[in-house]
Amino acid sequence: MRYGLFQLDSDELPVVVRTRAATTTSTAPTYIKQSIVRRKRVSSNARSTRPDLCFARDIIGTPFRILPVMPPRRTNPSPYAKVDRYRELVTKASLALDPLSSDKLSTARSSAAESFVTPIQREMEEARRFLESLTISKPQAALARDKDPDAEIKDALKQVADMRNEHNKKLLQIQKEKEEHTRQLEERKVQEKKEKEDAERQKKEQQQAKPKTPILKHTTATPIKTLPPAKLTEPSIGNSSSSTPAAEEWASNYRKMYTYLMSDIAPTVKNNKTNKDFCFKQRGIIVRSFGQLKDSQEFVSRISGTVIQLVSQSPTGVEQWMLNLVAKAIVKQAEKEVSVAHHAAFPLAAATVLVMRRFPQLADMLLVRLVKKCPYVIPEYVARKDGQSVEEYLRSIGYKEKDDDELETENIYVERMAGMIALFAAIVQTADASGVADAQKHPLSIHLGWTWLARMVNLSPRAISPLLVHTFLSIAGPSMLAAYGKQLHKLLDVLAGEWIAEIKSSKDPVAVAATSNLCGFLDDYKKTGKFKECSGRFIKHR
């Protein structure tokens, strides 16, 4: 028989039956009560022999086996606590039943079983129907995986791709942050450099405003005294234009060449976008290269090689303009660096000569730029014309405008002119100093230096003349002496006599200070018979 969850075999008795039997002992017939009383007297030996059976089976006559008694769980109530309690009550009722059986007891047992099993069975049936009504569906992702066996692999690959993309985004962000940081550092350096230059310029201008403050300093073989500040006025010695006919003809050729460059070559380059972009890009590299020069043969060779390579890559018809840009960068470096440190002219001249040997046309381009910037390279003294203002005249002899549209001071102008003469002297003596005697390999040889010095002595001096001659001799003097010997000695005698005497009659502060330095330089030469080597004349091999 099957009662709900309980399987009633021939030797099994459900707990609920025992529980119901135990609860109905109080209403049992008299003979049952009497049997319960008699059962109490049964010795403990009878119970111990059959511990897993209840004596109610013998009394009632049922073939059902009574389950062993389990100790009640009182400390921790659970769903099985009632079962344990029912089992205990049934055991007690079984012990009290009379061993005799009757139909009434069988009927009572069946009724008790039905009354307790039926509710449980009904409850279990309801639970079964409730569970059957529940619908459990798999997630869409699981269903998709069931349909496509490779879905998991695809999901994994997608996750890997997402992780890679996220990683690449992070790397890109880090790279952008580094570039931004580097850009900010460069801007800060440029700003600091500009502020430093502005501070130095202001300091120099303030010093120029004080009559007793030293302004002009030169790094030459013999220290030159500083020049006192002077106002923007025309030269006080010689008011007329002065130059030799040969020098004027020589300068005229280079002025015509400059006009040709600006009128014919420049439009050809600027109207062609490819050539224009090429020249613009290479010009920046050339300027930076010359700015990195140091007193080292390694630097000189590397930078000259870079410039030669850039010019060699020029498109058709652009090489001449590129050489013009190279010459412009060299002169600009002389105005900026050599003007305050004359020994910087030697590595710049060495690099220039190396490029000139590869491209001899650079010599003409360089002289075009020097004649335009510094008329004293010719040499030529330009006089003020009738009706010409002081500012117009100063611009005609090479004065530059500052950022505030005002002309530079005379001391700064003199420094720039001396810097370009120093470059000129360093270039003409470089061939001799490097051991190259063949003038064919060096278009601007020492002979051009002799021509310049002779023309300067043959002209009436100006206030700036002693400074320029002193600068030239302090740099190219040893090479001139080695090339011309006694002829140079005779020329220096004329220079120290009549030429300097004409300057001494002037009260111009620039002329007086420069003349004093030149006289000391010539006195040292007369005592020793040689010129003192200028620092940096020979490039170091390192």
Side-chain angles (χ1 to χ4, degrees):
M1 298 178 64
R2 192 172 187 83
Y3 292 91
L5 296 178
F6 302 99
Q7 181 71 32
L8 299 180
D9 297 329
S10 60
D11 59 346
E12 291 182 355
L13 179 66
V15 175
V16 292
V17 175
R18 289 176 285 167
T19 303
R20 184 61 179 171
T23 56
T24 57
T25 55
S26 60
T27 60
T30 304
Y31 64 90
I32 294 179
K33 292 181 179 180
Q34 293 175 357
S35 63
I36 291 174
V37 173
R38 290 194 301 268
R39 190 62 233 160
K40 290 180 180 179
R41 299 174 187 162
V42 178
S43 64
S44 58
N45 293 332
R47 296 193 205 104
S48 61
T49 56
R50 303 175 69 183
D52 59 335
L53 299 179
C54 180
F55 289 103
R57 183 179 62 176
D58 299 331
I59 296 171
I60 300 174
T62 177
F64 299 144
R65 181 172 62 85
I66 305 300
L67 297 177
V69 178
M70 299 296 293
R73 299 180 184 178
R74 302 183 183 277
T75 57
N76 186 17
S78 64
Y80 300 97
K82 288 185 177 181
V83 175
D84 296 336
R85 184 161 48 86
Y86 294 157
R87 184 178 299 161
E88 183 180 357
L89 292 175
V90 170
T91 302
K92 291 180 180 180
S94 299
L95 293 175
L97 292 176
D98 190 274
L100 298 178
S101 62
S102 64
D103 294 337
K104 293 182 178 180
L105 289 177
S106 299
T107 302
R109 178 176 59 78
S110 301
S111 300
E114 290 180 1
S115 62
F116 281 93
V117 169
T118 301
I120 295 176
Q121 185 178 8
R122 187 184 304 114
E123 183 178 354
M124 295 303 298
E125 183 66 20
E126 293 177 357
R128 183 183 63 77
R129 286 196 297 268
F130 174 75
L131 293 175
E132 289 179 353
S133 65
L134 293 178
T135 302
I136 302 175
S137 60
K138 292 184 178 180
Q140 295 296 330
L143 294 175
R145 285 195 296 270
D146 293 341
K147 294 180 180 179
D148 188 1
D150 298 334
E152 294 183 358
I153 299 176
K154 293 179 180 179
D155 293 343
L157 293 176
K158 183 179 179 182
Q159 292 178 2
V160 172
D162 294 340
M163 293 173 63
R164 185 186 298 110
N165 294 335
E166 185 177 356
H167 179 67
N168 292 336
K169 289 180 180 179
K170 289 182 179 179
L171 292 179
L172 184 61
Q173 182 66 22
I174 293 173
Q175 183 66 22
K176 289 182 179 179
E177 292 177 356
K178 288 183 178 180
E179 292 177 356
E180 180 67 17
H181 182 65
T182 304
R183 185 185 63 80
Q184 292 177 359
L185 289 178
E186 292 178 354
E187 291 180 354
R188 191 180 307 168
K189 289 180 180 179
V190 172
Q191 183 66 21
E192 290 177 355
K193 184 177 180 181
K194 184 178 179 181
E195 292 177 356
K196 185 177 180 180
E197 292 177 354
D198 293 341
E200 292 178 355
R201 189 183 300 109
Q202 292 178 2
K203 184 178 180 180
K204 186 178 292 186
E205 291 176 355
Q206 291 176 359
Q207 290 176 348
Q208 291 172 359
K210 299 178 182 180
K212 296 183 180 181
T213 305
I215 296 297
L216 183 62
K217 294 184 179 180
H218 299 274
T219 306
T220 56
T222 304
I224 300 177
K225 297 180 181 179
T226 57
L227 298 177
K231 298 180 180 180
L232 296 178
T233 57
E234 56 186 305
S236 58
I237 304 176
N239 294 325
S240 59
S241 298
S242 179
S243 181
T244 62
E248 291 179 358
E249 183 181 358
W250 180 79
S252 177
N253 293 331
Y254 289 108
R255 290 191 178 108
K256 291 178 181 179
M257 188 178 296
Y258 178 78
T259 303
Y260 170 75
L261 282 173
M262 295 298 106
S263 61
D264 295 349
I265 303 300
T268 304
V269 175
K270 294 179 180 179
N271 293 335
N272 188 318
K273 188 178 184 304
T274 303
N275 294 341
K276 182 179 179 180
D277 294 342
F278 174 82
C279 293
F280 179 79
K281 180 180 179 181
Q282 308 305 341
R283 181 183 64 180
I285 300 175
I286 292 170
V287 172
R288 289 193 299 270
S289 298
F290 282 115
Q292 297 171 358
L293 269 172
K294 293 183 179 180
D295 184 17
S296 169
Q297 188 64 42
E298 179 183 356
F299 273 87
V300 171
S301 300
R302 177 166 58 84
I303 290 173
S304 60
T306 301
V307 175
I308 291 173
Q309 183 179 5
L310 293 176
V311 177
S312 301
Q313 296 173 353
S314 302
T316 305
V318 183
E319 181 177 308
Q320 191 173 7
W321 183 255
M322 284 294 298
L323 292 175
N324 169 63
L325 295 180
V326 173
K328 186 176 181 180
I330 294 171
V331 174
K332 184 177 181 180
Q333 186 69 11
E335 291 182 278
K336 183 179 178 181
E337 299 292 339
V338 181
S339 60
V340 295
H342 289 177
H343 63 82
F346 293 107
L348 180 60
T352 302
V353 170
L354 289 176
V355 179
M356 204 178 295
R357 288 173 182 167
R358 174 64 177 82
F359 300 101
Q361 305 92 330
L362 178 61
D364 292 334
M365 296 295 107
L366 186 62
L367 291 176
V368 166
R369 287 292 170 180
L370 287 174
V371 168
K372 178 180 179 293
K373 291 277 188 177
C374 180
Y376 308 107
V377 172
I378 302 173
E380 180 183 24
Y381 301 122
V382 181
R384 181 178 174 183
K385 300 178 181 179
D386 295 337
Q388 190 178 27
S389 65
V390 175
E391 291 186 355
E392 291 176 351
Y393 166 70
L394 293 177
R395 286 191 180 93
S396 68
I397 62 175
Y399 273 77
K400 295 176 67 175
E401 292 184 356
K402 299 187 293 184
D403 295 336
D404 52 1
D405 295 334
E406 294 183 0
L407 293 178
E408 61 186 351
T409 60
E410 184 177 5
N411 288 315
I412 296 177
Y413 168 77
V414 168
E415 283 183 349
R416 287 197 307 105
M417 298 298 111
M420 286 183 277
I421 293 298
L423 172 65
F424 174 75
I427 290 175
V428 298
Q429 67 88 41
T430 298
D432 178 77
S434 61
V436 179
D438 189 359
Q440 298 296 331
K441 297 182 180 181
H442 185 8
L444 303 181
S445 63
I446 195 67
H447 306 300
L448 186 61
W450 171 263
T451 302
W452 182 87
L453 184 60
R455 288 174 178 173
M456 285 292 292
V457 174
N458 289 330
L459 295 176
S460 298
R462 300 292 190 270
I464 195 175
S465 301
L467 174 62
L468 301 179
V469 172
H470 184 197
T471 301
F472 180 85
L473 289 176
S474 64
I475 293 177
S479 298
M480 294 283 291
L481 185 61
Y484 296 99
K486 293 182 179 180
Q487 294 181 3
L488 178 64
H489 184 74
K490 294 178 181 179
L491 184 61
L492 294 179
D493 287 340
V494 176
L495 186 68
E498 301 175 359
W499 196 80
I500 290 181
E502 189 175 354
I503 301 174
K504 288 183 177 179
S505 61
S506 173
K507 297 181 180 180
D508 190 299
V510 175
V512 172
T515 302
S516 177
N517 293 331
L518 180 59
C519 289
F521 182 79
L522 294 176
D523 289 341
D524 291 341
Y525 168 73
K526 289 182 179 180
K527 292 178 182 178
T528 60
K530 60 182 180 179
F531 294 105
K532 185 178 180 180
E533 291 286 348
C534 182
S535 175
R537 180 169 178 256
F538 294 100
I539 307 300
K540 298 178 181 179
H541 294 272
R542 57 182 177 183

